[in-house]
Amino acid sequence: MAFGLTWQQLRDLKLSELTDAADGWAALMRRADAARERVDGDMSGKLTKTQESESAESAVKRLKRLGENYHYIQTEAGLIRGALDGLATELIAPQRRLRDVLDDVASLGGYEVNANGSIDYPAGGENAMTGDPIPGGSVMGNNGLIGAGNPGLYRDGNGMYDPALGPDAPQLRSPNPHRAKAQDVADRIAHALREAREIDERYSSALRELKAAPGLTVDRKTWANVAGDVAAVGSAAREYLSEQVLGKSPAERKEWWDHLSKEERQEYITSFPDVIGSLDGIPAAVRDEANRANLPLVIAGLEGQTADGAQDKLAGLKGIQSKLSHDSHPPMYLLGIGTEGKGRAIVSYGNPDTARNVSSYVPGLGTALDADFADDTVRRAFQTAKGVQKYDPSSASIVWLGYDAPGFMDVGSTTDANNGAPDYNAFMEGIRVTNEDEDPHITAIGHSYGSLTVGTAARQDGGIPGVDDIVLLGSPGTGADNASELNVGKGHVFVGSADNDPVTKLPSREELLGAGILGSAIVESDGLWFGTDPASKGFGATRMESGDGPLPFWLSGQGPTPAHSGYFDEGRNPSAADNVALIVAGHSDSITTEAPR
């Protein structure tokens, strides 16, 4: 297959036929989607509301199966469309280069392209000894393999390839002036053909995966196969998507999306839901639609897997799916999912594109996409959203698990924060460019180790894009010595540090080292594990009132460190939760404060 495409086929290939075929599959995709909506809404929905009988229940089940079949057809047709469109787009460049070379050959005169891509060149120049014309010859283009251009020409006496015997070696440089030009032409043909063959094989491999079993029954196994199909097409189209959007900034992606037609947008969502759902700079409602479509596929793909924490991620995604199935106020938006590392999930309560106030909370120690994620970490974003609604309904609260938060064994390292900070900044840049308000109020919230991630992001050049205020909760340090390093200006860094939260009192490395060496008690200072204590006077932040927080588990029965996990909960820490809501709503001048340490 790697050598199946000839230069003649590449020259004559009508790419419009591929794009026409892609349009045909797109039309099928739209028809299947419309049919599914009619089945699920007009038929099944009305039957459920108007009929109560065993026959009606049986009909609804059959209609549900029919709707699933239409959904499957829509998804697979969209994948085929995406593959064909990507194939046609990527083949444009090598075909253009090949045709340019062939035009050059035609203009030279006396040169001929052979069926195998070699070039015959005419006699030229004069033999210095005899005066006779130097005969012409034939050269083969270098196809990228060592010694493959002109077989035997660059080999030593033992038949081994010798770089010293390359085409420019003095002993092999032909006195015929046409030979060098012929070699250049042959190499250009070989390069165009090699690129086209790689593209052809990449997409052919993906398209071979898109097969339905006879007597189609759409079940969990079917959707698991679809998940593999999505991955295969996305991998094949990586170069195509990179040119379109992957290598672009959030602002460039937004501009690209804004210029697509309604039909083109829907085709991208259906063909590449995993890609569109994760792109910073794409509108939140679009990301939500793509991720909701991709979620059951990712879940199906994880079923039965055991490696790399697959079952934990499966439980986490099912928890999110369960929450999505129920209405909430503010409404829930799924802005990102992924299985890399410990899992990825970005959830917003409220639309961050239309909200005047947006907060983005980064969780910390021990957070992963697991069974507790939806009812614990996501719930904190919901608690913030509900609190902010009291002060300004035009608000959205996000939880951003776009990085691997550390576990207990590696919580003392800055590696995870350093790795997560650039991705957090890219996400926040996307939030900034897609927000429709002229001057949105954006707050970055870091909890626990997440405050180090936020602090690391804030200390990068320019700070966190679009952020007006930073809130640090239960922080072991931000990596900064002073709040001024966080790039939001004096008076815009706020710290919540409950007295019963042990994480906010972690000693610095120097203190621990001194205690270990000297065997003495740790001397109090402003230093925490990751820099200056944000709640200290020397750090220069505003310490908002957070109270004592609940006592440790052996005294309160609320878990090992309830004060550390209670900042978002108005039941466990009402002052902290209310102050966070006020800051996010843009009313930081109304918060209650307490003296720094």
Side-chain angles (χ1 to χ4, degrees), residues 478-493:
T478 64
D481 293 326
N482 191 276
S484 62
E485 298 175 35
L486 303 186
N487 287 304
V488 288
K490 184 178 179 180
H492 291 276
V493 179

Side-chain angles (χ1 to χ4, degrees), residues 301-314 339-343:
L302 289 172
E303 294 279 6
Q305 293 189 24
T306 57
D308 299 323
Q311 290 304 300
D312 287 335
K313 297 169 191 174
L314 178 62
T339 58
E340 59 268 35
K342 298 177 183 178

Side-chain angles (χ1 to χ4, degrees), residues 347-371:
V347 175
S348 178
Y349 282 99
N351 187 337
D353 292 348
T354 59
R356 182 166 47 251
N357 304 290
V358 181
S359 67
S360 180
Y361 142 57
V362 182
L365 172 65
T367 307
L369 183 59
D370 56 19

